[in-house]
Amino acid sequence: MFALVDCNNFYASCERVFNPELEGKPIAVLSNNDGCFIARSNEAKALGLPMGAPAFKYEAFCKENGIKVFSSNYPLYGDMSARVMQILSQFTPEIEIYSIDEAFLLLKGFDYVDLASYGKEIQQRVEKWTGIPVSIGIAPTKALAKVANKIAKKFKERTGGVHVIDTTESITKALKWTQIADVWGIGRQHTRRLEVLQIKTAYDFTRLPEDWVRKQMAVVGLRLQQDLKGIPTLGLEEGQKSKKGIATTRSFEGTISSLPELEERIATFANHCAQKARTQKSAANILMVFLRNNPFDPKVPRIRKHLAIPLAYPTDSSITLGQVAIKGLRALYEPGVAYKKAGVMISGLVPVNGKQLDLFQREQPKHDALMAVMDKMNKRYGNALKVGNQDLQRTWKMKQEHLSKRYTTSLSEIITVNS
């Protein structure tokens, strides 16, 4: 059996743990640079605050409806997530951390255990030790555990936040209740195609011929169909997968028209990408640079430019990637344009130990040793070393006008208890 443990309104719940006055009140959390809404409490959803809406357009709406707005506090959210996952690992050694607020548990050898009671025990311990409420769905497969979790949330008063699907009848009932658009793993494109065929529920999907599913949705769709039928085909994923692409993008606090200033920003973004690549022991084959002006300024035409540059050899060097990124920037740059956002993305990632060598072109041998020293020093002293084309006096700070305290990760911001 699989259990899917999902933290309820995770970002909002993290804020409420250290500010109980927020219980029952609408909360919304903003993206990087306070750009748009990426999380909403149930109360904020009920008021009609759209997901992904630009913050500046709904500033008055939030004030009128008493919605408490927070900037993303990733140090706090990341630490609270780690605490929840550590508790979950006490209930089974086999766990897959699916996202910052979700985890699959494999309950192997629990044949004679009351799974509903076990789920309640998990739920109570997590909430007691962290203050984070969770919903739990338990079923024979991962896909059905997702369905069970949705039912646990939807009918919380009846389920208490824990729902078990363990019989043929309960599987059929759950699948008939689940709309095809809500099935885990079925995206918008497949949803539209299936709805044309009058496939409206997960149960309808399981009744489709396997040959059709394999042909139209490949082996991934067939595995999902089997999983929904109660036949385990999707196991726990072991370890953390390396990213296939790494990007660093930022919206500027104002606008930038100066080429030297843009070069410094792009060099910094390229360095961040290189650091992330070295962390996962990957090297890039392609680098892309993009520039955008302010899309919300009606006085100027919208400008979106990008350039992908194939690299002569796979590299994770901050120096090499920075040089290539600046070369791409210069090709895109237009004098007089007020740029609002820029970014660098590297892709075509390969393991550093398995990259293809070239007889005539290769990385400067000194770069590997230099990057190793740079990473070691920065880890110890907090980004003390930079590449020469970066501004040594400048540190990037996101716009975070509604940031709460880092209660669990900063001694200077630790919670104060009044006697």
Side-chain angles (χ1 to χ4, degrees):
M1 298 288 281
F2 291 86
L4 175 64
V5 182
D6 184 12
C7 300
N8 301 338
N9 299 128
F10 181 60
Y11 289 178
S13 294
C14 288
E15 300 291 351
R16 284 170 170 160
V17 168
F18 300 96
N19 189 353
E21 294 180 356
L22 296 173
E23 287 292 341
K25 295 181 179 178
I27 297 174
V29 179
L30 297 166
S31 62
N32 288 341
N33 287 318
D34 293 348
C36 61
F37 295 103
I38 58 170
R40 305 156 299 158
S41 66
N42 290 336
E43 296 82 1
K45 294 175 185 177
L47 290 170
L49 181 66
M51 184 68 164
F56 75 94
K57 285 188 176 181
Y58 283 83
E59 185 175 354
F61 178 86
C62 290
K63 289 181 179 179
E64 290 170 5
N65 290 278
I67 299 175
K68 183 66 175 177
V69 177
F70 290 94
S71 301
S72 294
N73 190 340
Y74 293 121
L76 174 63
Y77 305 154
D79 183 67
M80 294 300 290
S81 173
R83 292 168 187 250
V84 171
M85 300 308 168
Q86 186 176 30
I87 295 169
L88 297 181
S89 66
Q90 298 173 3
F91 290 89
T92 175
E94 299 187 67
I95 178 172
E96 175 193 337
I97 299 175
Y98 185 68
S99 67
I100 192 171
D101 60 350
E102 288 180 282
F104 285 103
L105 312 182
L106 179 59
L107 305 178
K108 188 184 295 184
F110 284 68
D111 298 344
Y112 300 101
V113 174
D114 184 338
L115 294 177
S117 298
Y118 198 67
K120 290 286 186 182
E121 184 180 347
I122 297 173
Q123 183 188 54
Q124 290 168 4
R125 186 178 301 181
V126 170
E127 187 161 8
K128 182 177 181 181
W129 289 12
T130 68
I132 302 294
V134 299
S135 296
I136 302 175
I138 302 174
T141 68
K142 289 175 72 175
L144 286 173
K146 272 277 191 180
V147 173
N149 187 278
K150 190 176 288 291
I151 293 172
K153 281 187 173 183
K154 181 70 174 180
F155 305 101
K156 186 177 180 180
E157 292 184 1
R158 190 187 310 171
T159 64
V162 177
H163 185 63
V164 179
I165 297 176
D166 56 358
T167 65
T168 302
E169 293 75 14
S170 60
I171 290 175
T172 300
K173 184 178 180 181
L175 293 179
K176 288 183 177 180
W177 173 80
T178 305
Q179 297 298 302
I180 192 66
D182 296 329
V183 174
W184 176 54
I186 294 184
R188 294 181 182 178
Q189 185 175 350
H190 284 312
T191 296
R192 288 194 293 266
R193 182 185 301 176
L194 291 168
E195 287 178 343
V196 169
L197 298 173
Q198 298 302 307
I199 306 300
K200 298 181 179 180
T201 66
Y203 179 76
D204 297 335
F205 177 66
T206 63
R207 307 292 290 177
L208 283 171
E210 293 181 5
D211 291 344
W212 185 93
V213 175
R214 179 188 287 273
K215 182 178 180 180
Q216 300 295 326
M217 303 176 65
V219 68
V220 175
L222 183 60
R223 287 174 180 168
L224 175 59
Q225 186 191 48
Q226 296 296 307
D227 232 53
L228 289 170
K229 289 180 179 180
I231 305 169
T233 55
L234 305 174
L236 294 186
E237 294 185 6
E238 298 181 4
Q240 185 173 2
K241 288 186 175 181
S242 295
K243 296 179 179 178
K244 296 181 181 179
I246 298 173
T248 301
T249 66
R250 296 287 187 271
S251 293
F252 307 131
E253 190 169 346
T255 58
I256 299 178
S257 300
S258 164
L259 179 58
E261 193 171 356
L262 282 170
E263 287 180 347
E264 192 281 329
R265 290 292 80 204
I266 288 295
T268 298
F269 300 162
N271 181 41
H272 287 172
C273 289
Q275 288 177 329
K276 292 176 184 178
R278 293 195 295 272
T279 299
Q280 70 174 42
K281 302 186 185 304
S282 296
N285 277 292
I286 301 171
L287 181 143
M288 187 179 79
V289 180
F290 80 82
L291 289 172
R292 296 178 187 173
N293 66 345
N294 189 348
F296 302 108
D297 187 348
K299 299 178 182 177
V300 296
R302 191 171 184 182
I303 295 176
R304 298 167 62 100
K305 290 186 171 185
H306 71 274
L307 178 64
I309 306 171
L311 303 174
Y313 44 80
T315 180
D316 61 1
S317 166
S318 294
I319 297 172
T320 303
L321 291 174
Q323 291 171 343
V324 174
I326 289 176
K327 179 181 177 182
L329 169 66
R330 289 172 179 170
L332 296 175
Y333 175 75
E334 284 186 38
V337 176
Y339 294 103
K340 181 63 178 176
K341 187 174 184 179
V344 173
M345 186 175 82
I346 56 175
S347 58
L349 301 182
V350 296
V352 288
N353 295 327
K355 58 186 180 183
Q356 183 69 44
L357 299 178
D358 191 292
L359 288 174
F360 305 103
Q361 299 185 81
R362 57 169 298 189
E363 186 74 81
Q364 162 61 252
K366 294 181 179 180
H367 283 199
D368 289 341
L370 181 59
M371 293 301 107
V373 172
M374 186 174 174
D375 291 341
K376 185 176 181 180
M377 294 290 287
N378 285 338
K379 185 176 181 180
R380 176 175 293 183
Y381 299 109
N383 293 321
L385 294 181
K386 296 183 178 181
V387 183
N389 51 14
Q390 294 180 253
D391 186 343
L392 301 181
Q393 305 302 319
R394 183 172 185 175
T395 56
W396 180 263
K397 190 178 187 304
M398 290 190 295
K399 180 182 179 183
Q400 295 178 307
E401 296 179 348
H402 310 280
L403 187 64
S404 57
K405 293 182 178 180
R406 297 166 294 173
Y407 297 101
T408 63
T409 61
S410 175
L411 285 175
S412 62
E413 298 179 22
I414 196 168
I415 192 170
T416 302
V417 179
N418 298 318
S419 59

